[in-house]
Amino acid sequence: MSPSARTLRLRGGIDLGGTKIEAIVVDSRHKVLGSARVPTPTSGGPPDVATAMSGVMTEAAVAAGVEVSALVGVGVGSPGEIDAKAGTVTGAGNLPGWTGKFELGEKLEELLGVPVALGNDVEVATNAELKLGAGKPYQSLIGVFWGTGIGGGVILDHKPWLGRGDAGEIGHTVVRQGGRRCTCGRRGCVEAYAGRAAMEIHARKLHEAGRHTALFEIMHERGRDRLTSGIWQRALEANDQLAHKLIDTAVKVLGAGIASAVNLLDVEAVIIGGGLGVRFGEPYVERISAAMRPHLFVDDRPPRVHLAGLGDLGGALGAALIAPTRRPAAKVAVATATTE
Amino acid sequence: MSPSARTLRLRGGIDLGGTKIEAIVVDSRHKVLGSARVPTPTSGGPPDVATAMSGVMTEAAVAAGVEVSALVGVGVGSPGEIDAKAGTVTGAGNLPGWTGKFELGEKLEELLGVPVALGNDVEVATNAELKLGAGKPYQSLIGVFWGTGIGGGVILDHKPWLGRGDAGEIGHTVVRQGGRRCTCGRRGCVEAYAGRAAMEIHARKLHEAGRHTALFEIMHERGRDRLTSGIWQRALEANDQLAHKLIDTAVKVLGAGIASAVNLLDVEAVIIGGGLGVRFGEPYVERISAAMRPHLFVDDRPPRVHLAGLGDLGGALGAALIAPTRRPAAKVAVATATTE
């Protein structure tokens, strides 16, 4: 045990993604003291994912020079349907064998020996941008996470707006009614054109139909089995025409979908994050901003559009923000020592 | 002067629309004691519209058995850009000669002799549904006003969400990128397919190109110069194929646009009002609800979809809700009479 870590109120944050699991240790000022990442298991089931999460959290603690059991708490940003109170994650489609409900909170507390809190991955990342990143100057914003799918987080009056629990699905704004089939099974969603998974399916179809592209060669060269953000970037740099065409469409569609959300909510700012968003950076933030313009109903004062200020780390930093900061045992000790 | 009207705290409400101006007098329990309506002037300018508003408000007072000067205040729901504090309306496109700014509040106070407050027409109508109509059971809802255009109002946490002042433009959700030209000048908006003005332009174009429709015959028979909601209804009843085709598209597009908004905000309810919405009634609310379904990301608990509970009167009732309830002169008198 490391009492100094407890004194410093160090917290852990785990960003559970479909491709990688990232863990960090932060101090009370959100400074990252250690981090680690591993690829997300592609087989097995929820308990295997939990074991991998525990392993990478422990590694991050080692990197920070503390024992994981000394953290005051660990927060997790997870895909799927989160019941924060019950500590369960249900139906996380991008994770292996995770169709049903799993008590991830309890399992991680058992493995790590510290209190664990769960949150939705996109919500915690949006909140991190609001509190620590590009969203700091604003009271209202929409976070758009351009990656495997298109995640969205809505901040109104400086607070997350969750609706009945599932708000933020900007990726499933219909931009082309009756259009391309989305990975969600519906038609014409933003994600059907701009999500990395959907773009890969479309690229593969066109490639198999004889369309030239270097995307899959680059993928094989780099020993990957999916078109990562880095592969898309390389293909663009190599002036691959199909990659350009698909990414151009993605930008247009993102512009229309985000503009529609701005027309409805009139927020102050839009923040672009996610694997592709962070990888492509400022030039693409500019392009998305330009693609929004023709669709903005109030076009003389467009919202500010920013790149995610926390980059790739937003998910883990947002997870650390929701980490329990008081250990139940310590709470009892404090209560005993006072007049309560 | 009628002191009893003052004692009863009677308020006036004026709904200023592109087609008609409707005025009501309500008591403190929002009961309508008198009402009147006139067609909106089609020529002249803002002062003429103000004179017409004053006239119809006076008529409504007569119908209620009081003098208009005895009302504690009058609220106005207006199109265009409202500055409630300054009492001005700017750029109300559907009103004659109203491109610039006009001091409507001051002008009406001068004509009516009572304090006047201005609000956005869609916002006050949405608020009326929340406080007095179909929205009463809900904390969050979207009001969709299907008429000349497609207006939208957003209620979150039981309060209007206005963003930077212009939230709610659900009519300018992009449903068909690169699609039909909208009356706002942009492309592919919901309003381009579902707004009555846009549908009329489209119907006229198809009719001039030789497509059969009874729409314009009905219009001429009824001595009108535009396709009112009643004319659309008659054409549908007469099984006019073009009318059916255009309205079917409108329903589909409304379904997609509203579903996108629900995916983003996950509100509890959607309320359908407006000239066409109220005229077509429950069967079309059902149809819009069904058209939303294929696009709802969380499809196992769709929001409730209701017809506007206040019907055509929502705008005027909402306007009366924002009427000043204390006369500046009375305020001074009260202050003098107390220890303040």
Side-chain angles (χ1 to χ4, degrees):
Chain A
M1 295 285 282
S2 153
S4 71
R6 189 91 47 86
T7 320
L8 292 167
R9 307 193 68 70
L10 302 186
R11 286 165 292 131
I14 308 177
D15 180 18
L16 173 57
T19 310
K20 62 173 174 61
I21 306 172
E22 174 130 33
I24 57 171
V25 171
V26 297
D27 65 15
S28 57
R29 295 182 164 192
H30 317 292
K31 197 183 150 196
V32 178
L33 304 182
S35 70
R37 63 161 69 176
V38 293
T40 308
T42 51
S43 59
D48 304 286
V49 175
T51 303
M53 292 170 77
S54 164
V56 71
M57 187 67 249
T58 304
E59 267 184 66
V62 169
V66 296
E67 281 179 58
V68 74
S69 60
L71 301 174
V72 292
V74 169
V76 174
S78 169
E81 197 184 307
I82 315 298
D83 185 333
K85 232 173 188 168
T88 58
V89 175
T90 308
N94 288 323
L95 301 175
W98 206 313
T99 46
K101 184 183 288 190
F102 179 69
E103 276 149 8
L104 181 63
E106 197 180 302
K107 185 69 184 168
L108 283 175
E109 288 188 347
E110 192 187 304
L111 291 167
L112 296 169
V114 298
V116 170
L118 306 184
N120 174 277
D121 51 358
V122 175
E123 281 166 25
V124 303
T126 303
N127 194 43
E129 285 296 330
L130 175 74
K131 298 280 171 62
L132 311 172
K136 273 161 75 175
Y138 305 109
Q139 291 294 315
S140 63
L141 61 86
I142 299 171
V144 180
F145 296 89
W146 185 17
T148 310
I150 309 293
V154 177
I155 302 286
L156 304 176
D157 282 338
H158 210 75
K159 291 190 302 279
W161 172 260
L162 308 178
R164 291 180 291 161
D166 291 299
E169 292 293 352
I170 196 169
H172 302 282
T173 298
V174 184
V175 281
R176 297 191 184 176
Q177 210 178 11
R180 198 180 293 167
R181 181 72 68 187
C182 185
T183 34
C184 76
R186 296 170 192 84
R187 280 196 179 278
C189 307
V190 167
E191 186 166 310
Y193 299 91
R196 198 172 47 206
M199 288 196 297
E200 175 169 339
I201 291 168
H202 197 61
R204 206 176 282 278
K205 210 179 279 174
L206 293 174
H207 185 52
E208 281 165 7
R211 193 75 154 272
H212 173 76
T213 177
L215 277 164
F216 298 99
E217 283 162 45
I218 300 171
M219 183 182 88
H220 291 307
E221 272 167 33
R222 301 185 59 79
R224 307 303 287 264
D225 59 357
R226 33 188 155 173
L227 298 180
T228 61
S229 300
I231 292 167
W232 281 100
Q233 193 181 32
R234 272 164 194 269
L236 293 178
E237 282 163 5
N239 209 17
D240 184 85
Q241 290 308 299
L242 185 68
H244 271 292
K245 193 172 140 50
L246 294 182
I247 295 290
D248 288 354
T249 299
V251 166
K252 260 196 188 173
V253 159
L254 281 167
I258 299 171
S260 294
V262 170
N263 290 342
L264 186 68
L265 292 177
D266 197 16
V267 289
E268 297 166 64
V270 173
I271 292 173
I272 310 287
L276 283 166
V278 169
R279 170 71 69 157
F280 290 169
E282 293 288 359
Y284 275 78
V285 168
E286 276 307 308
R287 290 191 61 195
I288 292 168
S289 178
M292 287 165 58
R293 292 289 183 101
H295 300 295
L296 288 175
F297 187 69
V298 181
D299 51 11
D300 55 351
R301 51 151 184 68
R304 300 292 302 270
V305 185
H306 295 286
L307 182 62
L310 308 172
D312 249 358
L313 270 185
L317 279 164
L321 277 175
I322 63 162
T325 50
R326 203 189 256 197
R327 305 182 69 149
K331 205 171 166 184
V332 171
V334 168
T336 312
T338 67
T339 55
E340 279 174 46
Chain B
M1 295 286 283
S2 156
S4 70
R6 189 91 47 87
T7 321
L8 291 168
R9 307 193 68 69
L10 301 187
R11 286 166 292 132
I14 307 178
D15 180 16
L16 173 57
T19 309
K20 61 173 175 58
I21 306 172
E22 173 130 34
I24 57 171
V25 170
V26 297
D27 65 15
S28 58
R29 295 185 164 189
H30 319 290
K31 196 182 151 195
V32 178
L33 305 182
S35 68
R37 63 162 68 178
V38 293
T40 307
T42 52
S43 58
D48 304 287
V49 175
T51 303
M53 291 170 78
S54 163
V56 70
M57 186 68 249
T58 304
E59 268 185 65
V62 169
V66 296
E67 281 179 59
V68 74
S69 59
L71 301 175
V72 291
V74 169
V76 174
S78 170
E81 197 184 304
I82 315 299
D83 184 334
K85 234 173 187 170
T88 58
V89 175
T90 307
N94 287 324
L95 301 175
W98 205 312
T99 47
K101 183 184 288 190
F102 179 70
E103 275 148 9
L104 180 64
E106 199 179 299
K107 185 72 184 166
L108 284 175
E109 288 188 348
E110 193 187 303
L111 291 167
L112 295 170
V114 300
V116 170
L118 307 183
N120 173 278
D121 52 357
V122 175
E123 280 166 26
V124 304
T126 304
N127 193 44
E129 286 296 329
L130 175 74
K131 299 280 171 60
L132 311 172
K136 273 161 76 176
Y138 306 109
Q139 291 294 316
S140 63
L141 61 86
I142 298 171
V144 180
F145 297 89
W146 184 19
T148 309
I150 309 293
V154 177
I155 301 287
L156 305 176
D157 282 338
H158 210 76
K159 289 190 302 282
W161 172 258
L162 308 178
R164 291 180 290 160
D166 292 299
E169 291 294 351
I170 197 169
H172 302 281
T173 299
V174 185
V175 281
R176 297 192 184 175
Q177 212 179 7
R180 198 182 293 168
R181 180 74 67 188
C182 185
T183 33
C184 75
R186 297 171 191 83
R187 281 197 179 277
C189 306
V190 167
E191 187 167 310
Y193 299 91
R196 196 172 48 207
M199 287 196 298
E200 175 168 339
I201 291 168
H202 196 63
R204 205 176 283 277
K205 209 179 281 176
L206 294 174
H207 185 51
E208 281 165 7
R211 192 77 154 272
H212 174 77
T213 177
L215 277 164
F216 299 99
E217 281 164 46
I218 301 171
M219 184 182 87
H220 293 304
E221 273 168 33
R222 300 184 61 77
R224 307 304 287 263
D225 60 357
R226 33 187 156 177
L227 298 179
T228 61
S229 299
I231 292 168
W232 281 100
Q233 191 180 33
R234 270 163 197 269
L236 292 178
E237 283 164 6
N239 209 17
D240 184 83
Q241 288 309 298
L242 185 68
H244 270 292
K245 192 172 142 47
L246 294 182
I247 294 289
D248 288 355
T249 299
V251 166
K252 261 196 186 172
V253 158
L254 281 167
I258 299 170
S260 294
V262 170
N263 290 342
L264 186 67
L265 292 177
D266 197 16
V267 289
E268 297 166 65
V270 172
I271 292 173
I272 310 288
L276 282 166
V278 169
R279 171 73 66 157
F280 290 168
E282 292 288 359
Y284 275 77
V285 168
E286 276 305 309
R287 289 191 61 195
I288 292 168
S289 178
M292 288 166 57
R293 294 291 182 98
H295 301 294
L296 289 175
F297 187 69
V298 179
D299 51 10
D300 56 350
R301 50 152 183 67
R304 299 293 301 272
V305 185
H306 295 285
L307 182 61
L310 308 172
D312 249 357
L313 269 186
L317 280 165
L321 278 175
I322 63 162
T325 49
R326 204 190 257 197
R327 305 181 71 147
K331 209 171 164 185
V332 172
V334 168
T336 311
T338 67
T339 55
E340 279 174 44

